[in-house]
Amino acid sequence: MTTDDILFGVGLTFVLAVGSQLAAARLRIPALIILLPAGFIAGALTDDIHPDQLLGPAFSPLVSLAVALILYDAGLGLDPRKLRGHTRRTVFRLIVLGVALSWVTVSLLAVPWLGMSGDAAVMLGAILVVSGPTVVGPLLAFVRPADRPQTILSWEGSLVDPLGATLGALVFAAILDGSGNKTIGYQVLQFLASVGVGLAGAAVGTALLWLMLTRIRPDGALGTVGQLGTVVAVAAACDIARDDSGLIAAIIMGLVVAHLPGVDIPDQHPFSETLVKLIIGLLFVSISSTVTPASLHHVVLPTLGIVAVLVLVIRPLAVWLATLGSGLKRGERGFIAWMDPRGIVAAANASTFSAGLVTAGVGGASKILPATFLTIAATVTLYGLTAVPVARRLGATRPARARPLLVGGDPWAVDLGLALRSSGLEVLMWVGSEEQRGHVREAGLELAPGELLAAATGRGARLEGITAVLLLTDEDDFNALASMVLARDGGVQVYRLGARSSSHGIVAPYGRGETLLAPDLTRLAMAQRHAQGARIVTRRIDDAAGTLPAQHDLLLLVRSGGRLVPADGSGAPASPQPDDIAVLLGPAPDPPR
């Protein structure tokens, strides 16, 4: 290829990767629905985009390292505190049963339906056991399922990828060296050896990250670059020792490092999030461009038949067995059964292993990549277009009612949380001091885990289902600064209490975020009136005029559908309507005579 050809191919790959994701965001559909056909069509029209010509033998190892970065980022977003009890058992059962049943089923069906040899069929089965955070995460963000199904699916998708990739590497090696006649015990030892290398690499990598983040303490951008460099170096070293063991190291490093003492990894890390999105786009466009229209001949219908068996029989069977005695509702179990898309690890493994098996002359190996491509496209399209209506039909989504996050632990803020909960809202509170956290627990309100930014921005807000943030602390400058940071994220609506005066504080008079309540109801005024005996009460609006009790100040409205409408800085929210619930601050009682 000439320099011009390479520049054209690289530029086209970036344009398709970014353009497809922009179009998907605009259409509110999973990006893979556009990325896969975009790469396939581009590959059919020009050879300049094919990664084997652009990168040659460097493509496969670069794909492995790129997937390691994706899994590390996914690991950072997983909270081990949510993986306990029945949930932990369900995840592990689902991985074991799902991998075993999918592998056996695909291996058995691929021989008669796709005309593959036994070796190629076993390889395809090992490739198609994985799911992955690159497809499960975006789908869950669209659906917003209940807590337990979301936790189970997030953990399953993140953990099955490195294990499935390791399984694929072992099957590939066994086929090439003719070790199919070796005992099952030998194969198990090989798998455990790969897991051991991954664990050792994770231990070394985690130690390096801990030293860097707690001793050197680089700033935000440099710290992110240091993390990425460490992950790439450790994953590369592990892959040199055992194929694909670097993926195990990457996911474990992400899981562990975010919860080490003294390590502060903010939830918002735009550079790595941007890099991961770009990597996902580039990989899917590049890999799908290698699938030629001719390779799909006589593969489409048999592959769709295999997909139908996986979707309608194998996945429901695995979920039914894995969730026995889990306490999940019937609808939640049904939604988990209807969520098993294939993603980037399946595509990467198919691209890498099929080429090696074709070169080795394994019968039917040339069908592995197109069959995997069709499986990814079919499952992503099916689940992407039906996940939301299916979840709603099964009652597995979060309640449509608002879920506000109240930041602050003053007595009046706790009473406000109780009033909102009595109005039917799911209230979440974040408090800094342990004493105030104890008061919140005594009141029976739910506490947000971790740091404020992790709970209220980006991934944390999506996982917790937060719809609005109310900043109610006794520090006006903190409320103003937090409103600036949270409003910049743009994920949820942010409200704060007004400063005690226009001249009070350094930042408070200029903070962002809508100001709550009437001008005379500042944070100080609220605290003083509550200390004098005023209480926060709720009243249902019965008349069309929206009449409120005398001497009561309107704080918030809860619409009949569960939507929260705070009073703005003028004290004038949308007019109360019949069946609204008004949250009011009552008058302070008269002092005793």
Side-chain angles (χ1 to χ4, degrees):
M1 297 181 70
T2 66
T3 300
D4 290 345
D5 292 335
I6 295 174
L7 290 173
F8 174 76
V10 172
L12 180 60
T13 303
F14 272 80
V15 168
L16 292 176
V18 176
S20 297
Q21 295 189 68
L22 291 174
R26 182 72 174 177
L27 297 173
R28 294 190 59 79
I29 60 175
L32 264 65
I33 294 179
I34 300 179
L35 283 167
L36 292 174
F40 174 73
I41 294 172
L45 295 177
T46 176
D47 291 338
D48 292 340
I49 198 175
H50 290 177
D52 52 348
Q53 297 193 37
L54 288 174
L55 300 173
F59 179 62
S60 291
L62 287 176
V63 168
S64 180
L65 296 178
V67 174
L69 290 175
I70 293 173
L71 292 179
Y72 174 76
D73 182 73
L76 291 176
L78 295 174
D79 187 355
R81 291 170 296 186
K82 292 189 174 183
L83 192 66
R84 58 183 183 270
H86 290 309
T87 300
R88 180 175 61 247
R89 288 193 293 272
T90 300
V91 170
F92 291 149
R93 288 178 190 169
L94 196 54
I95 291 174
V96 173
L97 291 170
V99 168
L101 291 173
S102 297
W103 188 15
V104 171
T105 301
V106 174
S107 300
L108 293 176
L109 295 179
V111 174
W113 291 10
L114 288 169
M116 289 182 170
S117 65
D119 285 345
V122 171
M123 186 75 259
L124 179 63
I127 289 172
L128 294 183
V129 301
V130 297
S131 179
T134 59
V135 285
V136 173
L139 287 176
L140 294 179
F142 277 109
V143 177
R144 295 184 69 245
D147 286 340
R148 288 194 65 192
Q150 175 153 311
T151 299
I152 290 170
L153 289 169
S154 297
W155 276 91
E156 181 204 10
S158 296
L159 294 181
V160 79
D161 264 8
L163 296 177
T166 302
L167 175 65
L170 293 176
V171 171
F172 177 71
I175 293 173
L176 289 187
D177 65 17
S179 61
N181 57 344
K182 294 186 178 179
T183 65
I184 295 178
Y186 172 82
Q187 304 295 349
V188 171
L189 287 176
Q190 293 300 305
F191 178 80
L192 294 177
S194 294
V195 172
V197 170
L199 292 174
V204 174
T206 302
L208 292 174
L209 288 173
W210 183 81
L211 288 172
M212 178 187 71
L213 296 173
T214 60
R215 295 295 184 264
I216 302 176
R217 294 184 179 276
D219 59 24
L222 190 57
T224 300
V225 172
Q227 291 178 63
L228 298 179
T230 304
V231 172
V232 169
V234 170
C238 290
D239 283 349
I240 292 172
R242 301 282 300 188
D243 287 343
D244 283 335
S245 60
L247 303 186
I248 297 175
I251 186 74
I252 294 176
M253 287 169 64
L255 281 170
V256 175
V257 73
H259 300 91
L260 287 177
V263 175
D264 181 19
I265 297 181
D267 183 71
Q268 294 296 101
H269 33 91
F271 176 75
S272 62
E273 291 175 354
T274 302
L275 181 62
V276 167
K277 283 185 177 293
L278 182 60
I279 287 173
I280 292 172
L282 293 174
L283 289 181
F284 275 114
V285 168
S286 299
I287 293 173
S288 60
S289 71
T290 63
V291 181
T292 63
S295 68
L296 297 179
H297 290 168
H298 310 299
V299 174
V300 176
L301 291 180
T303 301
L304 293 180
I306 293 175
V307 170
V309 174
L310 290 175
V311 170
L312 300 177
V313 180
I314 300 305
R315 178 64 176 182
L317 177 60
V319 171
W320 179 73
L321 293 173
T323 56
L324 288 175
S326 65
L328 287 167
K329 299 177 182 177
R330 182 177 179 181
E332 293 174 340
R333 296 174 73 184
F335 175 69
I336 295 172
W338 192 255
M339 186 59 59
D340 192 26
R342 270 56 178 179
I344 190 61
V345 172
N349 283 352
S351 175
T352 301
F353 300 146
S354 64
L357 295 183
V358 169
T359 303
V362 175
S366 61
K367 297 179 181 179
I368 291 177
L369 181 58
T372 303
F373 171 80
L374 288 171
T375 301
I376 295 172
T379 55
V380 168
T381 302
L382 175 65
Y383 294 128
L385 297 179
T386 63
V388 172
V390 167
R392 289 175 178 169
R393 183 68 179 268
L394 295 173
T397 57
R398 293 180 188 270
R401 306 179 72 82
R403 193 183 198 199
L405 172 65
L406 276 58
V407 180
D410 283 354
W412 72 268
V414 176
D415 281 356
L416 178 60
L418 292 172
L420 291 174
R421 189 179 66 177
S422 70
S423 302
L425 303 188
E426 292 187 33
V427 177
L428 194 63
M429 297 199 69
W430 187 91
V431 180
S433 76
E434 188 56 39
E435 180 182 356
Q436 290 184 331
R437 293 176 72 86
H439 294 158
V440 173
R441 293 190 189 96
E442 291 175 3
L445 293 170
E446 183 179 357
L447 277 166
E451 62 171 18
L452 171 59
L453 295 184
T457 59
R459 181 187 292 144
R462 291 192 298 271
L463 290 179
E464 298 295 340
I466 295 169
T467 56
V469 179
L470 278 61
L471 298 165
L472 312 175
T473 76
D474 58 0
E475 291 290 342
D476 292 330
D477 281 337
F478 173 86
N479 294 338
L481 284 169
S483 71
M484 294 179 185
V485 175
L486 299 178
R488 187 171 59 226
D489 176 65
V492 295
Q493 193 67 41
V494 180
Y495 303 91
R496 67 183 178 96
L497 289 174
R500 67 178 65 178
S501 70
S502 59
S503 60
H504 177 76
I506 300 173
V507 184
Y510 312 104
R512 297 177 62 183
E514 296 187 34
T515 304
L516 282 169
L517 317 182
D520 58 336
L521 284 179
T522 63
R523 187 269 310 164
L524 182 61
M526 285 287 297
Q528 289 177 342
R529 283 183 56 175
H530 190 272
Q532 293 167 1
R535 289 296 175 260
I536 297 173
V537 297
T538 59
R539 293 288 185 274
R540 185 174 294 277
I541 306 297
D542 296 322
D543 60 325
T547 305
L548 299 175
Q551 297 184 328
H552 284 67
D553 289 302
L554 178 62
L555 306 180
L556 309 119
L557 286 175
V558 179
R559 296 294 192 201
S560 57
R563 185 167 61 91
L564 186 66
V565 183
D568 61 22
S570 65
S575 300
Q577 302 172 2
D579 292 329
D580 284 356
I581 297 177
V583 182
L584 308 164
L585 177 65
D590 295 329
R593 296 180 179 179

